[in-house]
Amino acid sequence: AQRVTQPEKLLSVFKGAPVELKCNYSYSGSPELFWYVQYSRQRLQLLLRHISRESIKGFTADLNKGETSFHLKKPFAQEEDSAMYYCAPSYSGAGSYQLTFGKGTKLSVIP
Amino acid sequence: DAGVTQSPTHLIKTRGQQVTLRCSPKSGHDTVSWYQQALGQGPQFIFQYYEEEERQRGNFPDRFSGHQFPNYSSELNVNALLLGDSALYLCASSKPLKGLNTEAFFGQGTRLTVV
């Protein structure tokens, strides 16, 4: 069974400090990897996907296949980054593209 | 485009009853997935519909069933409700490109409370 581990339930950092949200997955094959974010009172939305290799809102994520990790990073945290972050590998089976979500990390940026 | 819309937003049901939740996908999307999110947990995949057929199913009992209509909208039905079915139910739509997953757009969810 596919498993996603986000070890930190809550992460508090000061504004301007670097942020790293950890994600480890256990998968067979080569999953596609996503980070989704949920800001207060908003719906879940895509933050970034590894295949596009882009930086969104200053966040980047590096896929390490050897360590099966997909950690999310930002060099300088902003208050508006406070939100719930979910790592979500995508398992493609039988033509389906289901997402398997971790339990999430709540990021709190302290002014 | 209103994006993904779900109805109702909140629902209270009694144990043993049946419930139907509805989802309209984002315009242009043909694939609908349903997720259950218990308090403090990440969303858990229930099933996915494409071309009116269930394409993939997560680890949920047969009490959970669904349907997709020709206009791509979808319903999630839960029979014989248990207290443990209380959760936020999320609908997500997408239009996967050949061989690749694409961004899933989520609805605001339906909060189901079973008493």
Side-chain angles (χ1 to χ4, degrees), chain B residues 70-90:
Chain B
N71 66 352
Y72 307 120
S73 67
S74 177
E75 289 181 350
L76 163 65
N77 300 292
V78 187
N79 294 322
L81 284 166
L82 303 174
L83 296 179
D85 294 332
S86 296
L88 181 68
Y89 288 85
L90 296 170

Side-chain angles (χ1 to χ4, degrees), chain A residues 9 32 34 36 38 43-46 49 51 86 90-104, chain B residues 2-5 35 37 40-43 45 48 55-57 90 96-104 106-108:
Chain A
K9 196 171 181 178
E32 296 174 68
F34 299 81
Y36 278 79
Q38 188 166 27
R43 57 187 68 189
L44 199 57
Q45 59 186 283
L46 177 68
R49 53 188 299 202
I51 198 169
Y86 295 97
S90 175
Y91 167 60
S92 299
S96 166
Y97 303 93
Q98 70 178 79
L99 293 164
T100 301
F101 286 88
K103 291 186 177 182
Chain B
V4 179
T5 58
Y35 293 83
Q37 187 173 21
Q41 302 293 316
F45 178 75
Q48 185 177 87
R55 186 157 63 176
Q56 191 77 11
R57 188 178 184 92
L90 296 170
L97 300 173
K98 196 171 183 181
L100 277 180
N101 203 351
T102 56
E103 178 178 358
F106 283 82
Q108 81 285 2

Side-chain angles (χ1 to χ4, degrees), chain B residues 17-75:
Chain B
Q17 283 188 315
Q18 179 263 345
V19 69
T20 298
L21 310 182
R22 295 178 175 83
C23 171
S24 291
K26 182 177 168 63
S27 177
H29 286 186
D30 56 12
T31 300
V32 174
S33 303
W34 286 93
Y35 293 83
Q36 180 195 65
Q37 187 173 21
L39 206 58
Q41 302 293 316
Q44 191 173 358
F45 178 75
I46 302 175
F47 41 53
Q48 185 177 87
Y49 277 85
Y50 172 71
E51 291 188 341
E52 302 180 51
E53 294 203 356
E54 183 182 291
R55 186 157 63 176
Q56 191 77 11
R57 188 178 184 92
N59 190 24
F60 278 81
D62 292 344
R63 298 186 297 109
F64 289 76
S65 63
H67 190 76
Q68 186 178 34
F69 299 94
N71 66 352
Y72 307 120
S73 67
S74 177
E75 289 181 350

Side-chain angles (χ1 to χ4, degrees), chain A residues 78-90:
Chain A
Q78 303 298 316
E79 288 179 65
E80 56 265 28
D81 296 329
S82 294
M84 197 74 187
Y85 291 81
Y86 295 97
C87 178
S90 175

